[in-house]
C-alpha cells in the first residue's frame, strides 16, 4: 500500500510500498547491503506487523540502457505517487543534454530542502579534537541561488546580449567577455526552507536554528534571506521560537525552557564557529551555495562523505539518498562503505514515523564500527580494524540488531 499525505501529515500503512533507485557504479552493491539492513531491522523491531515491498524505478545508466532515458517520467510519477523514495548515487551524463540526474530529480519534484544531519560515530577518525561535539542538521535550499543554472558562457552571443542590457539599461559595466551567472533568492523559497528547518528543530527538541548568509556583501539576495527567515519565524512559530537578540535583551542570555532560539551568522564566520564551538549549532538553514560547501565541510569533521546521510524533501514528496557519488572504479567489487545509504534509510524511517527501526539501524551500525568491523575506507584509517566487504559489513550490522 502507498504512503499518502494530507495537509502536511503522512499516513504510513504497515505494509508499505517504497520505490527505490538502485544507482549506478557501486549503487547496486550498497543498495543490496542497505536493503538487507532495512528489511531485517523492520522485521526485528515490528515482527510481522510491518514490512516493506520495495518497488524498483529506473534512473541514471540503468534507465538509459533499459528504456533509453536518464530520468523516465514514470520514475518521477512513481515517486510523486508513493510520497517517499530512496536512491543510490547516479552518474552525471557528460554532454547528454541533462546537467545532472540528481539535480533534475530535485527540481522536477520541487524537493526544496536538502537535509544533511552530521554527527560523529566513534571511533571514525576525525580532524576535530572533540568530534562528539559535532551534531548538526543542515537545511540547504535546493531550488534557487547561483545553482539555478541561469548562466551564459564567456564570449557567447547571449552573454554579450546580457552584458549590453546591463550597460544600456542598468548602467552596469562588466569586464569585456565575462561569463555571467544570475543569483535569484526569493522570499517564498526562503520562507518555506526556513519553516521546514524550524519545524524540524521543534519536532526533534533541538535548541537553535541558525540562518547562515553572506548578507553583508550580497545585500539583496543573501541579505534578504536573513530578514525573511526571521519573518517566517515570527509569523508561523511565534509561541515556539525566540530570537537570540531577545534572549539577551529579555532573558539574561538564557533561553526560556522549550523555546527554539533563532539566530543568524555570516557565512565565513560560521565556517570558523562550527570548528571552534560546534556545540553551539543545532540546525543551520542556508541558501543553496553556502549549504553545499558547509555540508561537505561538516561531513569532513566527522570522517568524510562515505558516512554522511542525506534527504531531499519537498511539500509533496521526499527522496532519501547516499551523499557520495558512484565511485565507478569500485563498481561490482562488493567493496565500498554502504553507511551513507544505510543512514539515509534510517532518516527515511524517522520521516515515516518508524523511529524504532531508525534507532535500531543507527545503534547497530555504530556498534559494528565501534567493534572495528569496517569497509576498506575506514580500515585504512583505523589501526587494528578488521576490513570486510560491503555485504559482510551489512551482515554484521544485521547480527547486532
Ligand atoms: P565519488 O563517486 O563520490 O567518489 C570519489 C571517491 O570517494 C571514491 O574514489 C572513494 O575514495 C570515495 N568514496 C565514494 N563513495 C564511497 C563509499 N561508499 N565508500 C567508500 N569510499 C567512497 O565522486 P566522483 O568520482 O567525483 O564521482 C563519480 C560519479 O558520481 C560522477 O558521475 C558524479 O557526477 C556522480 N555523483 C553522484 C552523486 C549523487 O548521485 N548524489 C554525488 C556526487 C557525484 P577512494 O578513491 O579514496 O577510495
Amino acid at each position: 500500500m502507498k504512503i499518502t499525505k494530507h495537509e502536511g501529515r503522512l499516513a504510513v500503512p504497515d505494509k508499505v510500498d517504497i520505490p527505490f533507485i538502485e544507482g549506478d557504479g557501486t549503487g547496486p552493491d550498497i543498495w543490496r547491503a542497505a536493503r538487507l539492513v532495512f528489511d531485517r531491522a523492520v522485521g526485528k523491531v515490528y515482527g510481522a506487523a510491518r514490512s516493506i515491498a520495495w518497488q524498483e524505478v529506473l534512473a541514471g545508466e540503468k534507465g538509459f540502457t533499459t528504456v533509453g532515458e536518464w530520468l523516465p517520467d514514470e520514475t518521477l510519477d512513481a515517486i510523486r505517487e508513493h510520497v517517499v523514495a530512496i536512491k543510490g548515487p547516479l552518474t552525471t551524463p557528460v554532454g547528454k543534454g541533462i546537467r545532472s540526474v540528481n539535480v533534475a530529480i530535485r527540481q522536477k519534484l520541487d524537493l526544496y530542502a536538502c537535509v544533511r544531519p552530521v554527527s560523529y560515530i566513534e571511533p571514525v577518525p576525525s580532524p576535530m579534537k572533540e568530534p562528539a561535539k559535532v551534531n548538526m542538521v543542515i537545511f540547504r535550499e535546493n531550488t534557487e541561488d547561483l545553482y539555478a543554472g541561469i548562466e551564459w558562457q564567456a564570449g557567447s552571443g547571449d552573454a554579450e546580449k546580457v552584458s549590453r542590457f546591463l550597460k544600456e539599461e542598468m548602467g552596469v559595466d562588466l569586464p569585456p567577455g565575462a561569463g555571467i551567472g544570475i543569483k535569484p533568492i526569493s522570499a517564498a523559497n526562503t520562507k518555506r526552507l526556513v519553516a521546514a528547518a524550524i519545524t524540524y528543530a521543534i519536532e526533534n527538541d533541538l535548541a537553535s536554528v541558525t540562518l547562515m548568509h553572506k548578507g553583508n556583501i550580497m545585500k539583496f539576495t543573501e541579505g534578504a534571506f536573513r530578514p525573511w527567515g526571521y519573518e517566517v519565524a515570527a509569523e508561523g512559530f511565534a509561541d515556539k521560537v525566540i530570537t537570540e537578540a531577545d534572549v539577551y535583551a529579555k532573558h539574561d542570555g538564557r533561553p526560556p525552557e522549550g523555546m527554539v532560539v533563532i539566530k543568524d551568522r555570516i557565512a565565513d564566520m560560521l565556517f570558523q564557529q562550527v570548528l571552534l564551538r560546534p556545540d553551539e549549532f543545532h540546525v543551520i538553514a542556508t541558501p543553496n551555495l553556502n549549504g553545499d560547501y558547509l555540508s561537505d565541510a561538516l561531513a569532513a569533521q566527522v570522517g568524510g562523505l562515505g558516512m554522511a546521510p542525506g534527504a531531499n524533501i519537498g511539500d509533496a514528496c521526499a527522496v532519501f539518498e547516499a551523499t557520495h557519488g558512484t565511485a565507478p572504479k569500485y563498481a561490482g567489487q562488493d567493496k565500498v562503505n554502504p553507511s551513507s545509504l544505510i543512514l539515509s534509510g534510517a532518516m527515511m524511517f524517522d520521516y515515516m514515523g518508524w523511529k524504532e527501526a531508525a534507532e535500531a539501524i543507527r545503534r547497530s551500525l555504530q556498534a559494528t564500527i565501534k567493534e572495528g568491523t569496517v569497509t576498506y575506507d575506514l580500515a585504512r584509517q583505523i589501526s587494528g580494524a578488521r576490513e570486510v566487504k560491503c555485504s559482510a559489513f551489512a551482515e554484521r550490522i544485521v547480527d547486532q540488531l
Side-chain angles (χ1 to χ4, degrees), residues 25-36:
T26 49
D29 283 346
I30 59 170
W31 170 249
R32 219 174 296 119
R35 179 177 173 163
L36 175 80

Side-chain angles (χ1 to χ4, degrees), residues 6 13 41 45 56 65 84 88 100 107 129 158 170-171 192 200 208 222 247 259 292 297 299 305 315 366 380 383 398:
H6 300 290
V45 173
E56 179 161 18
T65 51
V84 168
S100 151
Q107 288 180 344
K129 277 191 191 146
D158 283 346
M170 314 297 287
R192 64 181 183 170
Y200 183 91
S208 70
E222 304 220 358
V247 169
M259 299 287 268
D292 195 10
L305 278 179
D315 288 333
Q366 278 168 10
R380 69 189 170 189
S383 69
V398 166

Side-chain angles (χ1 to χ4, degrees), residues 87 89-92 102 321-330 336-337 376-377 380:
K87 66 176 273 295
L90 295 171
T91 304
T92 298
N102 297 300
E321 66 170 358
T323 53
H324 53 73
T326 59
K329 67 183 174 183
Y330 298 123
V336 297
N337 187 348
Y376 85 96
D377 52 320
R380 69 189 170 189

